[in-house]
Amino acid sequence: MKLRIQYLTVFIITLLGTTFSFAQDDVEVYVADFTDDALRLTMERHVSTFLSQVNESFTAKSDTLTDVSFFLTAYISEFEVLWSSTPFFIPESTIIESVNKLATGRYEMRNIPIYFVDPDGEKHYEEAVIQFTPSGLISEFRIGLAAHRFQEIMNAGEDAIDQANREIILNFVENFRTSYNRKDIEYINTVFSDQALIIVGRVIENTGVESSYQQQVEYLQLTKGEYVDRLRRLFERNEWINVGYEDIGIIRHPKHPAIYGVSLTQYYNSATYSDEGYLFLLIDFAEPEKPLIHVRTWQPKRETPEDEVFQIGDMEIF
Amino acid sequence: MKVFNRGVKSGLLLLTIIMVSAASLSAQVDERTIKLSGNYLWGEGFGEDRQTAVNNAKRDLIERLQVRIESEANFTERDTNDDYSVELETTTNTLSRMELRGLNYMPAKERRDGSWETIAYITKDDFNTTMDLESDRLLSALKIAIIDENDGRLDVAITQYMELWASTFYSPVPFYTNADDHGIESELRSFLSNKIRNWVNSLAIDVDRVRSLSTAQNSEFYFDLLFSYNEMATSNLEIALNKSGYVAHPIRNGRTSIFYDLAPEERIRSFNFTLSPVIPNSIDQEKAAILDGVLPIREITLDIDFSDVIDINFNIIEESENTFTFVPILKNLSVYSLEWDFGDGETSKETTPTHDFGADFTGSLISLIINSSGDLLEQKQIGEVEKIDNTDNIDELGFVIPPNITSYVENTIRLKDGNSLTKYLNNLSERNILMVGRQSDINNPTLSYLAIINPQDTLVIAILSPVESGMRYNLITNETISNSELRMKFRGLGSVWFQFK
């Protein structure tokens, strides 16, 4: 009987051993459906090392990664800012994803599962996007849209050209969102046009005027400079900021094909403040590599009736 | 020992059970095998619920099938081409209707954010089988269509070609046929595209006749056209005048009538038409949408001759010895602009003018010109053309009258004085060699020579040849001149028409 238990134990240990053969921090990434074997192996090696290092540094509560040779040199500092403000870890030990080739010649891998952990210990599930240079170096890491949201928006594309434009827009929206996590005021400064129209809704406490909404909203118009100054102060005051987007709608302007209206619901969380609001961005993709925001409006979600949410039809473009 | 034996047996039994389980587990395909083994074609789907994830997975698989084939062909070249986007979208929407044999799904699983995901997959062998079956189906249908065409059932064959052409867009892989006349293998989609293009571009189009249903107030013409392909009447087409406001007319059994409602400005006028294939009703909407984007359109120019339907005439009322009133006789008078040329240098744009020719009046050639046209006109003579009887000067001029027409014509060119020329022509007329006189005296003015004489100095300006291909040739200056230019160029000059018998 003893012997039988010994056999069984050895066998079960052998079986389990195959399941738990990887260290907990290690992440193995496989690139599916990619014909260039040399580049595939390079990307697999780089992204596996990167994500394993992320887990290792997260566990060690380290401010830096020990090896950054898999990064494009110009991107290292940008990632370090993100890492220091919002550290995260990867909950999967094996990831199998395909990569898309972008119009720029770079490659992109989506749906990398990550968890952000707030200073209070609360975990947020997100999915990241990793971009590679044509030689396989990691050139960007950003917080992506949830896979089903991304697929839903892409499937709504009318044709392959519209789909390509939508991909650019979603890429931009994801970068814009990640810039808040990085508290990257320079990026935000770059993407707003100097003459941008920025409208921020503000809830006014009981005005005495009868309304279906108990509180009413007052709109402030800000210049780009005023808006960027407000953000800078906000970034300084908050140890961390996490922004999430839902209900993303993309509408192409009927007369100006390079101009898109992007409407979304924004969930804003920071160390000191949280809110939910309708965000509308009028983005000019005349130069796809350098999109410019001409209009940004924000309206508090709870206090704004749906028919009063800004949309592309409210904007007259000359 | 017994214990040991039992233990070994039990261990082996357990091992067997585990191995069988492991074997059955390995038979169930996992994500890693599907995505990395290279034996599968797959698509990934995400959604807020299971069903959306399944639908999206199938859609993603179909898109990947298309991209896979395109990348094996010439994907990068076509990537920037608008045609590619149309084609990809079409295939994405329609391939789902084709039965993908062996299509399977991984069990949908819930993701960390509460959404669902699954993978749709098919082995490469199953995919190839699906395509082989589709290829067989299309090629069998093609054979029947070719038999229909050869047996003279052109409309049936064209409908089949169109339907098959649309069907090729469902498939992400190209099919091949050797149905070419020379048995050369070609890609099925190109073969069918060429069939349809050849049908549209090689159609023979004839103007059967021009009909007029014009009234006094409006112009209303119908051009009856005949269409044939390899001498077979054809349908499934429509034709429209390239002018805004003109609708397309369906062609049935090789015939149609085009409506036209403007007064023509010339006897023969060129019109531009657009000829387009019509998708037969028997073809379903989805295929019709594909065909709508690929069917060829042909631009055609046809010369329409209105001679038979524009009857220009006028009456002459003698008011006094020198004064006449002219009354036009035209079916739809109000739609035309009229111009009268009284032959004495005077003109009028009145509808029924009265003209005084003065005391010295002996005769004049009256022209009624329609729509400022060079050839929409009617001419009548009033009074007499003075006949020159004196032919004595012929010999004095030193002419030896040659025995053939060419020589007579050459002689006319040498006569620079109008009076001499007229005498010479009258002489030939009296000798029954030619007819001479005004346009109305000549049997067929287009076969007639025409001498243009300046009444002021009696000099011969031009001797014009009979009409050839709508043009006359000025034998003096070696210039060509169209019928429509004739009147403009020689306005106010006299003319003598002569035709050899």
Side-chain angles (χ1 to χ4, degrees), chain B residues 371-489:
Chain B
N371 285 353
S372 306
S373 166
D375 64 357
L376 283 178
L377 82 168
E378 172 65 6
Q379 293 182 311
K380 286 188 178 181
Q381 179 73 34
I382 43 176
E384 292 294 325
V385 171
E386 187 184 352
K387 224 165 184 178
I388 303 163
D389 296 325
N390 182 0
T391 55
D392 296 342
N393 287 342
I394 292 274
D395 290 337
E396 288 172 21
L397 288 167
F399 294 143
V400 176
I401 298 170
N404 58 60
I405 290 169
T406 313
S407 301
Y408 293 143
V409 173
E410 281 171 4
N411 283 338
T412 62
I413 299 165
R414 295 170 58 186
L415 296 169
K416 305 297 182 199
D417 174 59
N419 288 328
S420 303
L421 177 65
T422 319
K423 282 177 189 172
Y424 176 57
L425 293 175
N426 282 337
N427 180 274
L428 293 178
S429 172
E430 282 166 13
R431 292 163 59 196
N432 210 25
I433 293 171
L434 53 71
M435 286 185 289
V436 66
R438 306 164 200 98
Q439 187 181 8
S440 54
D441 298 327
I442 303 294
N443 286 348
N444 192 341
T446 56
L447 298 177
S448 167
Y449 287 85
L450 177 59
I452 307 292
I453 299 164
N454 186 342
Q456 306 298 322
D457 54 17
T458 72
L459 279 179
V460 178
I461 307 292
I463 304 287
L464 301 172
S465 71
V467 176
E468 240 183 75
S469 307
M471 307 292 282
R472 287 182 188 270
Y473 185 65
N474 186 344
L475 302 170
I476 294 177
T477 60
N478 296 330
E479 290 169 343
T480 51
I481 182 163
S482 70
N483 255 1
S484 53
E485 291 168 342
L486 197 64
R487 193 182 161 279
M488 293 300 293
K489 193 167 173 76

Side-chain angles (χ1 to χ4, degrees), chain A residues 256-269:
Chain A
H256 304 272
I259 291 183
Y260 279 81
V262 179
S263 56
L264 41 90
T265 306
Q266 176 181 278
Y267 299 88
Y268 180 96
N269 288 295

Side-chain angles (χ1 to χ4, degrees), chain B residues 36 44 71 83 129 238 270 320 326 333 348 428:
Chain B
L36 298 178
E44 225 168 0
S71 61
D83 291 346
T129 305
E238 62 184 17
S270 293
S320 67
F326 304 95
L333 188 61
S348 168
L428 293 178

Side-chain angles (χ1 to χ4, degrees), chain A residues 8 11 92 127 149 151, chain B residues 14 44 46 48 111-112:
Chain A
L8 197 60
F11 199 84
E92 304 278 354
E127 287 177 4
R149 296 275 176 242
Q151 200 168 44
Chain B
L14 184 66
E44 225 168 0
F46 306 92
E48 284 187 8
R111 312 183 82 231
R112 291 171 196 273

Side-chain angles (χ1 to χ4, degrees), chain B residues 168-187:
Chain B
T168 63
F169 285 87
Y170 289 4
S171 166
V173 296
F175 299 136
Y176 292 90
T177 173
N178 55 5
D180 170 89
D181 290 343
H182 309 290
I184 297 166
E185 191 171 74
S186 59
E187 203 263 305

